[in-house]
Amino acid sequence: MSSLSILFATSEMAPWVKTGGLGDVAAALPAALRKAGHDIRVLLPAYPALKQAFPTATTVAELPAFAPGLPISRLLAAQAGKLELLLLDCPELYDRPGNPYLDVTGHDWPDNARRFGLLSRVAARLGQPDSPLGWQPDIVHANDWQTALAPAYLHYQGGAASVVTVHNIAFQGCFGRDMLAALGLPEHAWRFDGVEYHDQLSFLKAGLQLASQISTVSPTYAREVQDEHFGYGLAPLLRHRSAELRGILNGVDTDLWNPATDPALVTGYAANRLAAKRANKAALQTEMGLEVTADRPLFGVISRLTSQKGLDLLLTVAEGLPELPAQLVVLGSGDKLMEAGFVELAKRFPGQIVVKIGFDEGLAHRIEAGADCFVMPSRFEPCGLNQMYSLRYGTPPIVRATGGLADTVVDVCEDTLADKSANGFVLDGDTPHALWLTIEHVCRTWQDKKLWQRIQQNGMRRDFSWTHAANEYVALYRDAIATRA
Ligand code: ADP
Ligand code: GLC
C-alpha cells in the first residue's frame, strides 16, 4: 500500500518537553510511523527547550497573523534523528519558563486559547492545498485539546482529512465566546454541532465533533468515554460518533525502556537474568535513604499527584506498610495537598517510606527497576504508560480495572497463572480497604519467590512495542481519508 504523509501536531514531545504520557507518545509514535515508511512531520511550539536543543533550526516559512487574536509567527525545521520537526516560533506566546500549560504558580497561562489556537491554526494551514511549506499532508493528526481545533479549521476552511486522539478527556480547553472571532473561526461555527459547548468555545469538543476520525489511547477507554461517568460531559457526542471512534493501545519505546540496556541503572537485567534486579533495589534504597534490605517488598510510585491517579487511596493506608513489613518510594508532583500528605508520611517513617516531590526522568527509571511492585490505582486511565514500563521491568503493577490498565494488566489467579497471562494485581473496588487487601495479597505472593518470578516473567515477555499500534494508526488514517472524501 502507498505510504502516507502525516502532520502530527502536539503540545509536548519527549525528551525536550514532557509533562506526562503525551510527551512519550509524541516521540515514539511518529518514529514508529517513520520506520514504517510514512512521511511524517511533527509540529509543536518552539519552546525554549527546543530552541536550545536545535540552535541551527532553519526558517522554512513566515506565517501571517491569521486572525485578530493571533500574532505573526514562523516555522523552523529541525531534524531529530530521522524525524523532521516543525517548530512553531512565536516568542510572544511560547518563550516562557517552565511548564507548557501552567505558569510558575501552577495556574493556566491566561492566554492558552491564543497559544494553542495558533498551534491548531498552523496545523490546519499546513493541511491546506496551498500549504506554505509546499508539502501538504494527507492527514492532520491532532492530540488532546491543545491541537483539537485543527480539525475545526480544516472543516470550515477546507483541507486534509483529520484525526483527533484523546489522551485525556478531563482536559477540554474551554474559553469564552469572544475567542471565536479572535481565533478566526466563522460566526456560523457557533452551533451545538460546531465548536460551541455550553456557551463556551471548547477546543476538544470542536475536534471530536468535526474530525474525520477519532481515537483514544486504549480500547477500554474508547468504550468508557461513551459513558456519562467517564465522558466528562462529552459522552453523548462520542456515542453519536461511535462509528468513527476507536481505541488504539499505546506502545512503549522499547529502546528507552529496556532493563537490559538502560543507562540509568546500576546493572542491566532481563527475564532470564532476574537476579541482577536485586542490585537495582539495593542501589535505589541507598540512593533514596531507605533501609537497605532484601527482606521487605518495596512498593514504587511515579506519578502526577492528582485525583485521577487514585493515590489518595494509597495515602490513606500507607502508614500500615512499615508494619507489614514493606517499604514505599514515591516520585511525583501535582496537587499541593497530596504532595504535603506524602511528605508528612515520609517524615513519620524514616528509612521505610521516602518521597521525592518533583520530576526526575533518571529516578523514574531506577524506581521501575528497583521496586518490587508498582502502585497505580487510577480512577480512570486513558492508557497509562507506567504500568507498561513496570511490566517490562519485572515490577508487577497494582492497578484498577479501568482504561488501558484493564487492557494491559492481568490479575493473578489460578487460571491466569495456568495460561501464563498473570502479570499483576487488580483491585476489587475503589476504596482504600480494597487497596490494602491487595497490598497484603502482594506481600504474601512476593514471599513465594518462584511464583513471583513467574508473574514477573509473564509481564516482561509481553510485546509492548509500537509496531502494532503504528499499523492501527495507518488504518485509522486511511479511514479518515475515506470519511473526508
Ligand atoms: P499521564 O500521562 O496521565 O501522567 P502516563 O502513565 O501515560 O500518565 O505517563 C506518565 C509519564 O510521565 C511516564 O513516562 C512517567 O514515567 C512520567 N512521569 C510522571 N511523573 C513523573 C515524575 N515525577 N518524574 C519523572 N517522570 C514522571
Ligand atoms: C494521558 C493519559 C494517560 C496516557 C497518556 C498518553 O496523559 O492520562 O493515561 O497514557 O495520555 O496517551
Side-chain angles (χ1 to χ4, degrees):
M1 276 231 229
S2 60
S3 72
L4 296 171
S5 48
I6 304 146
L7 181 73
F8 189 93
T10 177
S11 55
E12 55 182 274
M13 182 181 189
W16 304 287
V17 185
K18 162 172 160 181
T19 70
L22 172 60
D24 291 340
V25 173
L29 171 58
L33 288 162
R34 171 76 186 71
K35 203 169 152 199
H38 300 284
D39 174 12
I40 181 158
R41 304 185 193 184
V42 181
L43 171 72
L44 76 168
Y47 301 115
L50 282 149
K51 283 181 125 174
Q52 263 163 37
F54 300 99
T56 58
T58 49
T59 304
V60 286
E62 301 282 356
L63 302 172
F66 291 107
L70 297 176
I72 58 163
S73 58
R74 60 178 182 154
L75 276 176
L76 308 174
Q79 198 66 32
K82 289 187 175 159
L83 261 189
E84 181 163 330
L85 308 187
L86 294 168
L87 308 178
L88 176 57
D89 191 27
C90 183
E92 177 188 334
L93 296 183
Y94 308 124
D95 185 6
R96 297 180 188 181
N99 186 296
Y101 316 120
L102 312 173
D103 65 19
V104 274
T105 64
H107 294 97
D108 287 350
W109 291 110
D111 54 353
N112 272 348
R114 294 169 65 233
R115 297 176 72 233
F116 297 111
L118 179 66
L119 182 62
S120 298
R121 180 67 186 85
V122 171
R125 183 70 191 87
L126 298 182
Q128 290 179 321
D130 55 347
S131 156
L133 284 186
W135 170 84
Q136 193 208 342
D138 304 309
I139 283 286
V140 174
H141 183 168
N143 291 277
D144 272 352
W145 76 264
Q146 292 88 352
T147 45
L149 215 49
Y153 286 116
L154 286 164
H155 175 83
Y156 294 111
Q157 297 167 358
S162 61
V163 162
V164 64
T165 296
V166 181
H167 298 262
N168 194 333
I169 207 163
F171 302 102
Q172 304 185 347
C174 292
F175 303 96
R177 185 185 173 142
D178 54 323
M179 290 320 294
L180 186 76
L183 297 181
L185 286 158
E187 194 57 32
H188 65 264
W190 197 259
R191 287 169 53 106
F192 77 98
D193 56 356
V195 306
E196 185 269 341
Y197 180 64
H198 295 295
D199 215 29
Q200 293 204 294
L201 164 60
S202 163
F203 277 41
L204 186 61
K205 186 264 176 170
L208 296 177
Q209 183 80 52
L210 301 168
S212 317
Q213 292 279 327
I214 305 166
S215 73
T216 69
V217 287
S218 70
T220 297
Y221 194 59
R223 287 191 296 277
E224 287 174 342
V225 287
Q226 298 180 55
D227 183 272
E228 306 308 330
H229 176 68
F230 289 99
Y232 281 78
L234 294 170
L237 169 56
L238 288 165
R239 287 198 296 273
H240 174 68
R241 295 216 61 195
S242 62
E244 292 99 28
L245 164 67
R246 74 189 75 179
I248 302 178
L249 189 70
N250 287 334
V252 307
D253 184 325
T254 49
D255 292 330
L256 265 178
W257 293 93
N258 180 353
T261 56
D262 190 333
L265 311 189
V266 284
T267 171
Y269 61 94
N272 57 359
R273 283 186 289 123
L274 265 171
K277 183 168 159 64
R278 283 189 223 131
N280 286 290
K281 176 170 176 179
L284 177 64
Q285 287 168 324
T286 306
E287 176 181 353
M288 298 305 289
L290 287 165
E291 181 191 338
V292 181
T293 168
D295 296 338
R296 301 174 166 217
L298 170 55
F299 290 88
V301 170
I302 304 156
S303 188
R304 290 187 290 118
L305 300 177
T306 66
S307 78
Q308 175 193 344
K309 302 294 176 178
L311 289 165
D312 46 308
L313 306 183
L314 179 62
L315 200 49
T316 307
V317 301
E319 63 179 6
L321 288 171
E323 276 281 296
L324 268 179
Q327 296 179 323
L328 172 66
V329 53
V330 175
L331 167 64
S333 63
D335 183 284
K336 296 298 162 209
L337 268 181
M338 219 186 286
E339 285 183 359
F342 276 111
V343 168
E344 193 51 39
L345 182 75
K347 275 195 202 140
R348 288 171 56 203
F349 300 101
Q352 302 306 324
I353 297 182
V354 59
V355 173
K356 181 168 173 190
I357 303 298
F359 200 93
D360 186 334
E361 190 78 35
L363 181 58
H365 285 245
R366 291 191 291 281
I367 291 176
E368 290 293 5
D372 293 297
C373 175
F374 193 83
V375 189
M376 193 167 174
S378 307
R379 295 202 160 78
F380 70 95
E381 195 60 78
C383 178
L385 298 174
N386 271 312
Q387 85 281 9
M388 295 197 268
Y389 300 149
S390 304
L391 291 167
R392 270 183 71 74
Y393 277 61
T395 309
I398 295 180
V399 301
R400 287 195 57 238
T402 183
L405 301 176
D407 294 336
T408 51
V409 179
V410 181
D411 195 28
V412 169
C413 69
E414 238 171 70
D415 290 350
T416 58
L417 282 168
D419 69 16
K420 294 196 166 71
S421 60
N423 62 13
F425 299 84
V426 179
L427 294 200
D428 187 8
D430 58 3
T431 59
H433 184 62
L435 176 59
W436 183 249
L437 293 179
T438 308
I439 287 175
E440 287 183 322
H441 178 205
V442 166
C443 290
R444 286 192 302 273
T445 313
W446 181 79
Q447 296 295 345
D448 183 338
K449 299 297 173 209
K450 281 220 167 97
L451 174 58
W452 190 257
Q453 185 167 318
R454 280 166 60 198
I455 300 166
Q456 288 176 296
Q457 287 173 334
N458 288 344
M460 295 179 89
R461 290 189 173 134
R462 192 164 155 167
D463 177 12
F464 286 113
S465 69
W466 270 100
T467 320
H468 182 66
N471 289 336
E472 290 188 68
Y473 274 101
V474 171
L476 172 72
Y477 297 151
R478 295 201 194 282
D479 287 350
I481 291 166
T483 313
R484 180 83 174 137

